[in-house]
């Protein structure tokens, strides 16, 4: 069933539409500088309460907590994630090149602080493999460890203190950076790390993590390589030292992988049927510790073990702030990665459960978490992929689940920690590798990404190759730069199209894709789907010149003919005034009119609906187009200009070269006006479709 629409209204130029429907000008009444500066400082009870709820979200959501409905889910989810934090915290501490106890500290303090200041109801914070790996690379650069150092010697204790000092300094500086970004309201910067970049980066970083853990799984004592090509250097070093593999640790690794991988697969496939995932990591840690203790694997088979884990809280102390100049560059990359992953995870689950995330508040939450935690010998923390997924699937509702998570870690810190003395490091390495399953599975998204957007596919591929081949931080920078270059190239190559009209409608579409839409005789309607700025003005000008045939030779020829015609007109007027007829004028006039036949372009209409913004260079280009069209004897019109574009064009002096009444609200208004001007000019023209 088809229906028809009839429209009867006046033709609207921008000026006429603004006069009819625009907002009346309000008195300026601008406030003085003192009032402007003092307004945010005014204090009232409601303002303070609003600020408290906004900056400390726990004050807002805790009084509304639905105890009977949510407490069970938060308790189960929090305890489940807390159990997982224990082995992962110790395992990721090895990636950071510090003792496992510091991983437990990092699994406690940030969780409590994010619960108070964070806005993500389903976000689990703590140690994250990629952030730990990046931090460990910096630690190894500044405080390298000799492979044959005795772990019980005073030199080893001093070296460990230096290492955690550097790692804590990175956490402190990262937190300060986030707080500064919060003060400047720079939460939007996370958008520069697009989804293809984050997925490619985490997937490539998973390879770095896996290769770095091979030496622990094989029982090799090798120095850790950093910098560019570190993955290949580490792999070559492992292959070179394969004959020195500790068979006992290799056997431990194979058994752990044979247990962890299948049970993790069961947890994933039957997630909907399991109230809580099987805590295979903590069970593996407990059993491996018992076996190593019972058979004295450390002394009998030279198996590397975790060693002493002190009970209780660490004493607050300042990080190694003297290293700030050396770690500043790497910390910027660590900060952006941690924040981008955290906000991305928070937004994914916020969209799924129907609540909102405030990126700037997330900056404050993670900034406070890292800054305060660094005073308790913690390394950088962020939201984590695995534990966040488990927290949501286990039935968590609010940030209160973080309280139960921290209670589990607290019990381990105060009571159980020293019992993990005999835990083999190979077990922690296996936990590290198997926790990266989700990152490796991101390769499954590549066929869909290729089908949807090949540009995004190239961004993914370039980022992945850069991270794998070069290094984690350098590869990330290359991925971001390449992604921004694709955006710039797309704006430069937006392309200019000719529009045609669908019969008996006021709908205009590109004639290349709609062959039944026809061009208006003598009118060339152009549209450009992109900004016009200094970066693409030459491409835009080339497209317009090609579509209009504006070659320098043709412009000079038409300008010469037009000037000759104007001269003939003046001579004819003078001749008539003297009472003498000029018979040559009519033939000259007819000759020029024949040059401007109906098939020739007599008017150019620019549809600006796709032009998001115009800069000064773009405005000057419009002026140049007007001048060239005037030389050709062609009138130029504009339609669908947004307020900002029109303001810049007007301020740049475009109205000195074109009629202000030639700027219309819609393309159809302009077309009807042009057609009526050919036949019979009318001030009160109307549109009838």
């Amino acid at each position: 069933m088809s229906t028809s629409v009839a429209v009867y209204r006046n033709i609207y130029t921008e000026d006429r539409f603004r006069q009819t429907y625009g907002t009346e000008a309000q008195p300026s009444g601008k406030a003085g500088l003192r009032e402007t500066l003092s307004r945010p400082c005014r204090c009232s009870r409601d303002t303070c309460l609003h600020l408290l709820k906004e900056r400390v979200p726990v004050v807002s959501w805790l009084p509304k907590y639905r105890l009977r409905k949510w407490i069970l889910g938060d308790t189960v989810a929090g305890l489940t994630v807390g159990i997982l934090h224990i082995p992962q915290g110790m395992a990721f501490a090895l990636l950071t090149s510090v003792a496992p106890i510091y991983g437990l500290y990092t699994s406690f303090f940030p969780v409590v602080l994010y619960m108070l200041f964070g806005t993500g109801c389903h976000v689990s914070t703590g140690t994250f493999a990629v952030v730990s790996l990046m931090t460990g690379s910096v630690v190894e650069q500044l405080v390298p460890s000799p492979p044959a150092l005795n772990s019980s010697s005073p030199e080893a204790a001093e070296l460990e203190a230096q290492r955690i000092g550097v790692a804590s300094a990175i956490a402190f500086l990262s937190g300060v950076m986030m707080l500064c970004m919060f003060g400047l309201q720079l939460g939007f910067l996370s958008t520069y790390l697009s989804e293809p970049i984050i997925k490619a980066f985490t997937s490539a970083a998973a390879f770095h993590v896996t290769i770095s853990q091979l030496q622990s799984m094989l029982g090799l004592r090798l120095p850790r390589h950093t910098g560019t090509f570190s993955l290949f250097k580490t792999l070559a070093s492992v292959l070179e030292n394969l004959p020195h593999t500790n068979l006992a640790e290799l056997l431990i690794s194979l058994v752990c992988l044979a247990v962890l991988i299948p049970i993790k697969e069961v947890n994933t496939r039957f997630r909907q049927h399991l109230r809580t995932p099987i805590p295979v990591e903590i069970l593996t840690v407990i059993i491996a510790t018992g076996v190593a203790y019972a058979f004295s694997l450390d002394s009998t088979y030279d198996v590397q073990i975790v060693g002493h884990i002190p009970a209780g809280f660490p004493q607050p102390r300042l990080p190694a702030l003297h290293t700030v100049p050396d770690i500043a560059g790497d910390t910027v990359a660590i900060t952006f990665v941690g924040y981008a992953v955290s906000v991305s995870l928070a937004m994914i689950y916020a969209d799924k459960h129907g609540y909102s995330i405030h990126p700037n508040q997330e900056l404050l939450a993670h900034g406070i978490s890292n800054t305060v935690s660094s005073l308790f010998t913690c390394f950088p923390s962020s939201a984590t992929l695995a534990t966040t997924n488990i927290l949501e699937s286990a039935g968590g509702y609010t940030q209160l689940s973080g309280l139960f998570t921290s209670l589990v870690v607290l019990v381990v810190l105060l009571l159980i920690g020293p019992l993990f003395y005999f835990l083999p490091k190979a077990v922690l390495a296996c936990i590290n590798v198997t926790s990266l399953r989700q990152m490796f599975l991101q390769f499954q998204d590549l066929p869909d990404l290729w089908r949807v957007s090949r540009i995004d596919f190239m961004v993914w591929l370039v980022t992945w190759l850069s991270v794998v081949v070069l290094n984690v931080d350098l590869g990330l920078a290359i991925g971001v730069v390449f992604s921004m270059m694709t955006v710039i190239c797309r704006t430069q190559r937006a392309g200019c199209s000719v529009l045609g009209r669908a019969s008996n409608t006021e709908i205009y579409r590109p004639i290349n894709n709609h062959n039944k839409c026809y061009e208006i005789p003598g009118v060339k309607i152009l549209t450009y789907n992109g900004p016009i700025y200094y970066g693409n003005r030459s491409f835009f000008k080339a497209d317009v010149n090609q579509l209009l045939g504006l070659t320098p030779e043709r412009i000079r020829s038409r300008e010469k003919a037009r000037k000759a015609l104007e001269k003939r007109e003046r001579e004819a007027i003078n001749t008539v005034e003297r009472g003498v007829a000029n018979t040559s004028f009519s033939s000259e006039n007819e000759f020029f009119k024949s040059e401007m036949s109906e098939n020739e372009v007599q008017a150019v209409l620019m549809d600006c609906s796709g032009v998001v913004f115009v800069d000064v260079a773009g405005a000057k280009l419009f002026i140049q187009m007007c001048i060239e069209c005037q030389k050709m004897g062609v009138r130029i019109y504009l339609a669908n200009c947004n307020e900002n574009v029109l303001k810049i064009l007007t301020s740049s002096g475009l109205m000195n070269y074109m009629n202000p009444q030639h700027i219309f609200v819609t393309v159809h208004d302009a077309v009807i006006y042009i057609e009526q001007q050919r036949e019979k000019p009318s001030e009160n023209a109307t549109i009838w479709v």
Side-chain angles (χ1 to χ4, degrees):
M1 179 179 179
S2 62
T3 59
S4 59
V5 177
V7 179
Y8 182 77
R9 63 171 175 82
N10 293 329
I11 292 177
Y12 285 113
T13 63
E14 283 288 346
D15 289 341
R16 187 174 182 182
F17 188 84
R18 192 180 299 110
Q19 293 171 5
T20 306
Y21 297 102
T23 304
E24 295 183 3
Q26 300 293 332
S28 57
K30 293 184 179 179
L33 179 60
R34 179 180 299 179
E35 183 180 353
T36 303
L37 295 176
S38 63
R39 188 181 298 118
C41 301
R42 292 173 183 169
C43 185
S44 66
R45 182 178 180 276
D46 293 338
T47 303
C48 292
L49 185 60
H50 174 74
L51 183 64
L52 181 64
K53 289 182 178 180
E54 190 176 20
R55 296 295 169 239
V56 189
V58 67
V59 178
S60 178
W61 60 261
L62 190 58
K64 303 175 184 177
Y65 191 82
R66 302 166 69 176
L67 188 64
R68 292 185 178 180
K69 183 177 181 180
W70 294 342
I71 189 63
L72 180 60
D74 283 340
T75 303
V76 173
L79 294 177
T80 304
V81 171
I83 293 172
L84 182 62
H85 265 309
I86 298 166
Q88 279 201 355
M90 292 190 292
F92 292 161
L94 296 184
L95 287 178
T96 318
S97 296
V98 296
I101 184 61
Y102 301 114
L104 295 179
Y105 296 155
T106 310
S107 299
F108 175 76
F109 291 101
V111 175
V112 176
L113 293 167
Y114 185 84
M115 181 186 67
L116 301 176
F117 297 98
T119 59
C121 299
H122 299 85
V123 172
S124 173
T125 58
T127 56
F128 181 43
V130 176
V131 174
S132 298
L133 177 69
M134 297 175 71
T135 305
S137 298
V138 183
V139 172
E140 286 291 342
Q141 289 177 6
L142 297 182
V143 192
S145 60
L149 186 65
N150 187 357
S151 59
S152 60
S153 64
E155 292 81 3
E158 176 62 25
L159 187 69
E160 188 59 46
Q162 294 178 12
R163 284 169 170 268
I164 191 56
V166 172
S168 298
I170 296 173
F172 179 83
L173 185 57
S174 177
V176 170
M177 287 181 179
M178 289 187 184
L179 292 176
C180 292
M181 292 168 64
F182 165 75
L184 298 174
Q185 299 291 287
L186 298 180
F188 67 90
L189 290 179
S190 64
T191 58
Y192 288 103
L193 294 178
S194 62
E195 183 178 346
I197 291 178
I198 292 177
K199 287 189 173 182
F201 173 76
T202 53
S203 178
F207 279 86
H208 281 272
V209 173
T210 301
I211 297 301
S212 68
Q213 296 303 290
L214 287 179
Q215 56 183 351
S216 296
M217 296 170 66
L218 298 175
L220 301 175
R221 292 166 174 80
L222 304 174
R224 184 168 173 174
H225 296 279
T226 59
T228 55
F229 310 108
S230 58
L231 184 144
F232 301 101
K233 293 176 183 177
T234 303
L235 187 59
S237 180
V238 170
L239 293 176
E240 184 180 352
N241 289 273
L242 274 181
H244 306 291
T245 299
N246 188 315
L247 296 181
E249 292 191 80
L250 175 61
L251 181 61
I252 291 173
S253 300
L254 293 176
V255 172
C256 287
L257 292 176
V259 172
L260 289 170
I261 294 176
I263 298 182
K264 277 180 169 287
E265 188 68 23
V266 170
N267 285 338
T268 302
R269 295 198 175 189
F270 299 97
R271 183 174 54 186
Q272 303 297 332
H273 304 285
L274 296 173
R275 176 59 180 171
T276 60
I278 302 172
V280 61
E281 287 92 349
I282 191 64
L283 292 177
T284 304
V285 165
I286 294 172
I287 295 172
T289 303
V291 171
Y293 171 74
F295 294 95
S296 301
L297 297 181
D298 57 325
S299 58
T300 306
Y301 298 100
D302 195 25
V303 172
Q304 299 180 72
I305 58 175
V306 168
H308 176 62
I309 297 180
F313 276 117
Q315 292 294 327
R317 65 180 183 182
L318 285 176
L321 298 181
H322 63 277
T323 61
V324 166
D326 299 321
I327 64 176
D330 296 295
T331 305
V332 172
I334 294 171
T335 301
F336 271 90
V337 170
Y339 173 63
V341 171
S342 301
V343 172
S344 299
L345 279 175
M347 287 185 172
I348 288 172
Y349 289 102
D351 292 340
K352 182 176 180 180
H353 292 276
Y355 59 91
S356 60
I357 290 295
H358 306 288
N360 286 307
Q361 180 62 26
E362 290 294 295
L363 273 175
L364 177 64
H366 290 287
I368 293 176
S369 296
N370 280 285
T371 304
V372 176
S373 299
S374 68
L375 303 177
F376 295 92
T377 59
C378 295
F379 51 85
S381 64
S382 71
T384 63
L385 294 173
T387 55
T388 298
N389 185 30
I390 291 174
L391 179 67
E392 190 265 345
S393 61
Y397 289 100
T398 68
Q399 295 94 314
L400 191 65
S401 59
L403 175 63
F404 301 100
T405 298
S406 59
L407 287 177
V408 174
V409 181
L410 181 63
V411 171
V412 175
L413 286 174
L414 297 180
L415 302 174
I416 306 177
L419 299 180
F420 293 117
Y421 180 92
F422 289 96
L423 173 63
K425 289 186 176 181
V427 176
L428 297 180
C430 293
I431 292 174
N432 271 331
V433 172
T434 55
S435 67
L436 304 172
R437 177 181 177 275
Q438 288 179 312
M439 300 183 190
F440 286 119
L441 292 179
Q442 290 174 353
F443 283 97
Q444 297 176 351
D445 300 334
L446 287 182
D448 292 335
L449 191 61
W450 172 265
R451 186 176 64 254
V452 173
S453 173
R454 297 190 179 184
I455 294 180
D456 286 339
F457 178 87
M458 290 303 300
V459 170
W460 195 102
L461 186 62
V462 169
T463 305
W464 190 89
L465 289 175
S466 301
V467 173
V468 168
V469 174
L470 298 177
N471 197 12
V472 176
D473 48 359
L474 182 58
L476 176 64
I478 292 175
V480 172
V481 171
F482 181 78
S483 178
M484 297 301 297
M485 291 299 297
T486 62
V487 175
I488 294 173
C489 291
R490 278 186 275 190
T491 59
Q492 285 184 327
R493 301 290 186 176
C496 196
S497 305
V498 178
L499 298 183
R501 179 184 177 185
S503 301
N504 300 322
T505 70
E506 57 176 4
I507 300 172
Y508 296 82
R509 291 291 184 269
I511 59 176
N512 291 337
N513 302 325
H514 303 81
N515 54 10
K516 294 183 180 179
C517 292
Y518 66 93
E519 288 192 68
I520 309 299
V523 182
K524 186 71 72 173
I525 308 173
L526 305 180
T527 185
Y528 192 75
N529 297 317
I532 301 175
Y533 66 110
Y534 69 93
N536 68 349
R537 64 188 301 268
S538 59
F539 299 102
F540 173 71
K541 181 181 179 181
D543 288 345
V544 171
N545 288 347
Q546 181 182 5
L547 294 174
L548 298 180
L550 295 178
T551 61
E553 296 79 10
R554 191 176 182 190
I555 293 174
R556 285 194 298 267
S557 174
R558 286 296 179 85
E559 185 181 15
K560 184 177 180 181
R562 183 176 57 81
K563 288 181 177 179
L565 177 61
E566 291 176 353
K567 182 179 179 182
R568 290 290 186 179
E569 288 178 347
R570 289 193 301 269
E571 292 177 353
I573 293 173
N574 295 333
T575 304
V576 170
E577 289 178 351
R578 292 196 301 266
V580 180
N582 186 351
T583 57
S584 65
F585 168 70
S586 59
S587 60
E588 184 75 27
N589 194 13
E590 291 299 324
F591 172 78
F592 187 78
K593 286 185 177 179
S594 65
E595 287 288 311
M596 293 288 292
S597 62
E598 286 191 0
N599 293 329
E600 290 287 336
V601 177
Q602 302 171 13
V604 175
L605 172 57
M606 189 69 200
D607 176 19
C608 299
S609 58
V611 180
V612 182
F613 69 88
V614 174
D615 67 352
V616 175
K620 289 181 178 179
L621 180 60
F622 268 97
I623 294 174
Q624 183 181 353
M625 286 174 51
C626 285
I627 295 173
E628 292 179 351
C629 287
Q630 287 175 359
K631 291 179 180 179
M632 292 276 293
V634 176
R635 298 180 302 276
I636 189 165
Y637 301 84
L638 299 179
N640 283 327
C641 291
N642 65 54
E643 294 290 337
N644 293 330
V645 169
L646 192 58
K647 180 179 178 181
I648 293 175
L649 293 178
T650 304
S651 302
S652 300
L654 180 64
M655 296 305 104
N656 297 330
Y657 299 91
M658 71 175 295
N659 191 340
Q661 298 302 315
H662 287 180
I663 302 177
F664 293 88
V665 174
T666 69
V667 171
H668 197 58
D669 285 85
V671 170
I672 297 299
Y673 175 83
I674 294 170
E675 290 179 336
Q676 291 180 348
Q677 288 296 305
R678 289 177 181 171
E679 302 170 1
K680 182 180 179 182
S682 173
E683 291 296 329
N684 297 318
T686 57
I687 291 180
W688 173 257
V689 178

